[in-house]
């Protein structure tokens, strides 16, 4: 291959390294300013979220806030996807809530630590490579359902509130829509938060604020060793929740990483991100945090709204969060929730893939693809669990794919001058969905004593097909006729030789 043919790849890799390089950002004042301001905006948005998730998990707000600090700082160092934000999340809160409720904080922390170990094991064993099996329609459903969940999470802050909340939210949205047309140096969400907070304080407007969500901690996180017995009974209690937390956390984190890859046109090592999440959860557990994973909403604030691209913004989001809640808690408490709601509404609108629901797109897209996307959205919104929705979406896509491919298998009878031999040509992939009907495609009564079945235009994928071939031979043999399969490629021949006569056609 010539140098000119290799150049595009070289340019791409150089571009990726430059975009996500910490060293390059530190040398460029403009990039560094973008990273710092992005980290500040994310930190402000993390506070009410972390408090809400702590309440959801049934623990003190400091458990969620400290988890967000340690997750963000640790993943900025060990994670695989630069600029992605990891912190306490609703999905993790839902998984560990039963442990906190039934067994208390110590068992919750033990669960977080074990989940971290599971994630490291899954990461180094290559679980991240399973991401290649998630089809585009599921990814679109994931993104759209996420946008809907982000918007739905803001509704409680817009119900039974003073009337002034509504114009404040509208003003915040307007700032984020129009301010970037004037100035793209300072993130529009930060401007909206600062201006609305200033107006609220100076005009003494009584509206819900961050302080109403829960008490902010006034001390630094300390080393925490869970007081639980190291017995098999303890393992029996926490292991199921830890495994569920590990899987849910990895699934959300890897999907979010893939989304950021697409947004930034850069690549990230998913295996490193997988075990990095485990390390972050272990660190978080030892500081008394409830654990977490990638946060899609805050990540989009960081990457899309604030245009951050490096680990600096993620690291500073954690540092600023600690400074804000411990050192500047009194000031943070007066930030109106209306400002943060406006930010999240804009994130929701920007996250949704509007192109996917345009009439022209729906007309062009295969119905099965649209059905998979809608199924993913419905399940996620119904369960409020992204992991469940993605799993159901992938299973639905598999069924649809198998159903579609099964119809591509054809059996053609070839005219043969030799009256003592019948010849058939089989085209298409042969697996459980397509081969089950294969046995009905032959004329067992009318065919002569010799039958030639040419499989050069097909491929044997599984034992079900070999069992079907055995059944065809048996049916012809019962009529006193002999079958010969020809044209198998090397892999198909090996599979047939290995399994023929050893698979029960009835099972």
């Amino acid at each position: 291959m010539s140098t000119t043919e290799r150049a595009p790849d070289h340019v791409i890799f150089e571009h990726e390294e430059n975009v996500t390089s910490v060293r390059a950002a530190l040398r460029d004042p403009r990039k560094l300013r973008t990273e710092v301001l992005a980290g500040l905006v994310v930190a402000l948005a993390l506070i009410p979220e972390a408090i809400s998730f702590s309440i959801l998990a049934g623990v003190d707000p400091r458990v969620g806030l400290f988890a967000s600090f340690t997750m963000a700082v640790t993943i900025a160092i060990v994670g695989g996807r630069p600029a992605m934000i990891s912190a306490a999340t609703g999905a993790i809160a839902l998984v560990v809530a039963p442990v906190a409720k039934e067994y208390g904080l110590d068992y919750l922390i033990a669960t977080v630590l074990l989940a971290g170990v599971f994630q490291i094991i899954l990461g180094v064993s290559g679980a991240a490579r399973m991401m290649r099996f998630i089809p585009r329609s599921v990814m679109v459903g994931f993104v759209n359902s996420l946008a809907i969940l982000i918007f739905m999470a803001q509704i409680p802050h817009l119900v039974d509130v003073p009337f002034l909340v509504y114009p404040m939210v509208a003003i915040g949205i307007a700032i984020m829509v129009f301010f970037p047309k004037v100035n793209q140096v300072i993130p529009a969400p930060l401007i909206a938060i600062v201006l609305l907070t200033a107006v609220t304080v100076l005009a003494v407007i009584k509206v819900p604020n961050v302080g109403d969500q829960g008490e902010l901690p006034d001390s630094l996180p300390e080393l925490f060793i869970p007081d639980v017995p190291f017995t098999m009974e303890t393992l029996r209690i926490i292991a199921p929740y830890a495994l569920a937390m590990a899987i849910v956390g990895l699934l959300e984190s890897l999907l979010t990483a893939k989304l950021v890859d697409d947004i930034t046109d850069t690549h990230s090592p998913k295996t490193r991100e997988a075990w990095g999440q485990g390390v972050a959860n272990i660190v978080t557990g030892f500081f008394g945090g409830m654990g977490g994973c990638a946060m899609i909403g805050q990540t989009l604030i960081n990457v899309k709204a604030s245009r951050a691209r490096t680990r600096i913004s993620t690291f500073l989001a954690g540092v600023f969060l600690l400074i804000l809640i411990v050192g500047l808690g009194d000031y943070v408490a007066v930030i109106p929730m209306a400002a943060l709601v406006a930010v999240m509404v804009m994130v929701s609108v920007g996250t949704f893939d509007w192109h996917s629901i345009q009439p022209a797109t729906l007309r062009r897209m295969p119905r099965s693809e649209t059905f998979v996307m809608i199924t993913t959205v419905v399940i996620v919104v119904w369960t409020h669990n992204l992991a469940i929705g993605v799993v159901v979406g992938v299973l639905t896509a598999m069924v649809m794919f198998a159903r579609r491919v099964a119809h591509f298998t054809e059996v053609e009878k070839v005219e043969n001058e030799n009256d003592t031999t019948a010849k058939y040509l089989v085209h298409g992939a042969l697996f459980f969905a397509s081969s089950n009907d294969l046995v009905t495609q032959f004329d067992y009564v009318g065919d002569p004593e010799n039958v030639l079945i040419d499989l050069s235009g097909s491929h044997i994928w599984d034992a079900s097909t070999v069992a079907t071939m055995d059944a065809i031979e048996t049916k012809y043999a019962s009529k006193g006729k002999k079958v010969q399969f020809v044209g198998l490629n090397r892999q198909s021949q090996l599979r047939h030789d290995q399994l023929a006569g050893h698979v029960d056609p009835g099972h």
Side-chain angles (χ1 to χ4, degrees):
M1 184 177 290
S2 67
T3 305
T4 54
E5 289 175 317
R6 291 194 300 267
D9 288 339
H10 174 73
V11 172
I12 289 172
F13 295 142
E14 185 178 295
H15 163 73
E16 290 186 6
E17 184 178 353
N18 185 56
V19 167
T20 61
S21 170
V22 171
R23 186 175 299 176
L26 292 174
R27 291 174 176 173
D28 187 332
R30 183 179 60 82
K31 288 184 178 180
L32 182 60
R33 180 177 61 241
T34 298
E35 299 294 319
V36 172
L37 293 177
L40 179 58
V41 173
V42 170
L44 291 169
L46 277 174
I47 295 172
E49 294 275 315
I51 294 173
S52 299
F53 297 148
S54 299
I55 296 171
L56 181 61
V59 295
D60 188 272
R62 66 188 291 123
V63 177
L65 289 165
F66 287 158
S68 295
F69 158 66
T70 52
M71 285 293 297
V73 169
T74 306
I75 206 66
I77 299 170
V78 301
R81 175 62 256 181
M84 190 169 77
I85 305 297
S86 290
T89 64
I92 297 300
L94 287 171
V95 172
V96 301
V99 182
K101 182 179 180 181
E102 296 182 29
Y103 302 100
L105 180 62
D106 287 287
Y107 278 85
L108 168 63
I109 300 305
T111 302
V112 173
L113 293 172
L114 183 58
V117 174
F118 282 152
Q119 286 180 325
I120 292 175
I121 294 172
L122 289 170
V124 298
S125 63
R129 289 193 291 270
M130 298 297 289
M131 285 296 297
R132 72 184 69 178
F133 296 109
I134 298 181
R136 179 190 174 279
S137 53
V138 175
M139 276 299 298
V140 173
F142 169 79
V143 170
N144 289 349
S145 59
L146 190 59
I148 295 171
L149 287 184
I150 292 173
F151 182 82
M152 289 175 63
Q154 312 314 310
I155 294 177
H157 301 297
L158 298 172
V159 177
D160 295 328
V161 293
F163 175 77
L164 286 175
V165 168
Y166 303 111
M168 289 179 68
V169 171
I171 292 171
I173 292 174
I175 291 173
M176 284 178 280
V177 170
F178 295 108
F179 184 79
K181 301 180 186 299
V182 179
N183 187 310
Q184 292 191 348
V185 175
I186 304 175
L190 181 60
I191 297 296
I193 292 171
V194 171
L195 287 181
L196 290 175
T197 302
V199 170
T200 302
V201 173
L202 295 176
V204 195
I205 300 174
K206 298 294 183 182
V207 292
N209 55 35
V210 171
D212 296 329
Q213 305 301 304
E215 184 179 355
L216 299 177
D218 55 5
S219 62
L220 296 173
E222 300 175 349
L223 187 65
F224 186 97
I225 305 297
D227 184 15
V228 297
F230 288 89
T231 62
M232 290 302 296
E233 176 63 18
T234 300
L235 184 63
R236 184 190 65 79
I237 292 171
I238 67 174
Y241 296 103
L243 183 60
M245 174 180 167
I247 293 173
V248 169
L250 283 184
L251 192 54
E252 291 206 26
S253 298
L254 294 175
L255 284 171
T256 303
K258 189 174 186 300
L259 182 62
V260 177
D261 288 352
D262 293 340
I263 292 172
T264 60
D265 291 325
T266 57
H267 173 72
S268 60
K270 303 300 184 297
T271 296
R272 176 176 174 178
E273 183 61 41
W275 63 256
Q277 289 288 329
V279 172
N281 271 308
I282 290 174
V283 172
T284 296
F286 278 125
F287 280 94
M290 59 180 277
C293 63
M295 296 190 76
I296 183 69
Q298 275 65 25
T299 296
L300 290 173
I301 290 176
N302 196 45
V303 174
K304 291 193 77 173
S306 303
R307 305 181 306 282
R309 292 294 182 270
T310 76
R311 300 176 186 274
I312 296 174
S313 58
T314 305
F315 182 84
L316 289 180
V319 173
F320 283 143
L321 174 63
L322 188 65
I323 294 172
L324 289 170
I325 61 179
V326 175
L328 302 173
D330 292 340
Y331 299 99
V332 172
V334 301
I335 295 175
M337 287 302 300
L340 298 176
V341 168
V343 172
M344 297 310 291
V345 167
M346 286 301 296
V347 168
S348 172
V349 173
T351 301
F352 197 91
D353 185 353
W354 297 100
H355 180 265
S356 67
I357 61 171
Q358 289 180 357
T361 303
L362 295 175
R363 283 194 299 269
R364 293 191 189 97
M365 196 67 63
R367 290 183 180 179
S368 59
E369 300 276 328
T370 302
F371 180 76
V372 169
M373 186 264 286
I374 293 174
T375 299
T376 305
V377 171
V378 170
I379 296 297
V380 170
V381 174
W382 181 38
T383 63
H384 282 236
N385 190 313
L386 290 164
I388 293 176
V390 169
V391 170
V392 172
V394 170
L395 292 175
T396 304
M398 290 170 61
V399 172
M400 291 294 178
F401 175 77
R403 182 173 177 270
R404 188 166 61 247
V405 173
H407 293 310
F408 291 153
T409 303
E410 296 180 353
V411 177
E412 177 188 357
K413 190 170 185 179
V414 180
E415 293 295 333
N416 196 346
E417 296 180 358
N418 188 349
D419 295 336
T420 61
T421 303
K423 184 176 181 181
Y424 291 87
L425 294 178
V426 180
H427 303 278
L430 298 176
F431 64 110
F432 62 91
S434 60
S435 62
N436 283 337
D437 293 332
L438 193 64
V439 73
T440 64
Q441 304 297 310
F442 302 94
D443 186 1
Y444 300 99
V445 176
D447 282 342
E449 59 183 17
N450 294 310
V451 178
L452 197 67
I453 300 179
D454 188 346
L455 297 171
S456 58
S458 59
H459 183 90
I460 299 174
W461 288 103
D462 58 9
S464 294
T465 302
V466 177
T468 298
M469 293 166 69
D470 287 347
I472 293 171
E473 283 192 89
T474 301
K475 289 180 74 69
Y476 271 117
S478 67
K479 308 294 183 186
K481 301 170 184 179
K482 185 179 179 181
V483 178
Q484 183 180 3
F485 295 102
V486 298
L488 283 84
N489 58 42
R490 183 173 178 274
Q491 289 183 334
S492 296
Q493 187 69 60
L494 287 173
R495 185 168 288 111
H496 183 261
D497 292 345
Q498 181 182 10
L499 297 175
H502 299 286
V503 183
D504 184 356
H507 294 82

